[in-house]
Amino acid sequence: SQTIHQWPATLVQPVGSPLSLECTVEGTSNPNLYWYRQAAGRGLQLLFYSVGIGQISSEVPQNLSASRPQDRQFILSSKKLLLSDSGFYLCASFSRTDTQYFGPGTRLTVL
Amino acid sequence: RKEVEQDPGPFNVPEGATVAFNCTYSNSASQSFFWYRQDCRKEPKLLMSVYSSGNEDGRFTAQLNRASQYISLLIRDSKLSDSATYLCVVNGGGSYIPTFGRGTSLIVHP
C-alpha cells in the first residue's frame, strides 16, 4: 500500500517569507500527485496536480507554485506568503485502484 | 450547481442511533465513488468504496443510485468514535481530478 510523507507537520511563518513544503510517496510508481488546501471549517480546495515529472497543472491562480522534480516527490512553494495562505495543506496520491491517499498534512499559520 | 453536494449538518445523534447521509453528483459519466472520513485537524482517510451493487463493512453500508445520481452512507449503532466529517468523493468522467463534497459533520453524543 502507499505511504505519503509530508513535512513539517506544523509551520508558523511571517507574512512575506518564503515557503517550501515537501511531499514524498512510497509504495507506488508514476502516481498522480495533488496539493490541496483546507481552510478552517471548510472543504478541500485543489491547488495543483501532476501526472508526471515536470508536469504541473494549476487549478487556482495564486502566489503559490508547485514542482515535481522526481517521480515520487512533489513540492509546494511560495516566494512571499500572504495571510490568506494560512491553512491545512494536504498532499495526495491517486492509486491504481482509483483511490486517493492523503499525507498527514502541514498546518501553516501565516502571521 | 456544485458537482458534488452534501448536507453539511451537523447531524447530532445519540449513541446507538442509525444515521444516513446522502451525496448527489452532477456528472453522469462518473465511474467510481468513495466515502472518506476526516477527524478534526487530521487528513481524510478512506472509509469505503461504493460499488454499484452496494457494499457493507460492519456497521457501515454504502449504496449507489446511478439513475438518480446519488450515493449514500448508512451507519448503524453509532459510536462516540464515529464523530467526524464524512466526505463524498466522485471520480472519473474523463478527469484526473477527484471531486470532493464539502463534507457532512456527524456528532454522536452519549
Side-chain angles (χ1 to χ4, degrees):
Chain A
S1 64
Q2 294 185 41
T3 303
I4 300 176
H5 302 280
Q6 280 188 251
W7 61 91
T10 306
L11 192 58
V12 180
Q13 292 283 98
V15 170
S17 64
L19 173 74
S20 180
L21 300 180
E22 188 163 345
C23 167
T24 58
V25 183
E26 289 180 7
T28 187
S29 59
N30 196 29
N32 290 348
L33 296 175
Y34 304 78
W35 278 111
Y36 291 90
R37 177 171 61 202
Q38 188 174 38
R42 306 292 296 274
L44 292 170
Q45 179 188 31
L46 179 64
L47 302 175
F48 300 95
Y49 72 95
S50 171
V51 300
I53 296 173
Q55 299 179 63
I56 307 294
S57 296
S58 174
E59 289 296 301
V60 182
Q62 61 219 326
N63 68 319
L64 299 172
S65 62
S67 62
R68 185 168 178 177
Q70 299 180 43
D71 181 44
R72 289 175 280 182
Q73 184 185 29
F74 204 21
I75 298 172
L76 182 70
S77 305
S78 174
K79 292 182 180 177
K80 288 186 178 182
L81 284 169
L82 306 172
L83 287 174
S84 57
D85 291 324
S86 293
F88 190 36
Y89 287 82
L90 291 157
C91 178
S93 157
F94 210 1
S95 78
R96 295 180 195 280
T97 59
D98 210 25
T99 306
Q100 263 200 331
Y101 293 92
F102 287 86
T106 294
R107 196 161 299 279
L108 172 67
T109 303
V110 182
L111 302 174
Chain B
R1 179 183 172 186
K2 291 184 181 177
E3 294 183 53
V4 177
E5 293 198 53
Q6 295 183 253
D7 181 344
F11 285 63
N12 215 313
V13 303
E15 275 186 288
T18 296
V19 61
F21 311 135
N22 279 345
C23 164
T24 58
Y25 61 95
S26 59
N27 186 351
S28 59
S30 299
Q31 296 170 351
S32 51
F33 310 86
F34 306 90
W35 284 103
Y36 279 72
R37 170 191 170 128
Q38 186 174 23
D39 292 297
C40 187
R41 301 177 69 84
K42 296 288 188 180
E43 75 275 23
K45 292 186 177 178
L46 179 66
L47 178 65
M48 59 198 307
S49 304
V50 188
Y51 305 122
S52 296
S53 56
N55 50 308
E56 186 173 319
D57 183 3
R59 298 181 292 109
F60 298 84
T61 301
Q63 300 268 346
L64 167 64
N65 185 319
R66 285 192 183 272
S68 299
Q69 293 184 203
Y70 75 86
I71 66 173
S72 63
L73 178 67
L74 180 77
I75 305 175
R76 291 181 297 277
D77 188 23
S78 299
K79 310 292 185 190
L80 295 176
S81 57
D82 293 334
S83 297
T85 297
Y86 291 84
L87 304 170
C88 166
V89 184
V90 176
N91 283 351
S95 169
Y96 291 118
I97 304 173
T99 304
F100 283 78
R102 293 280 300 270
T104 297
S105 175
L106 171 65
I107 301 170
V108 182
H109 58 82

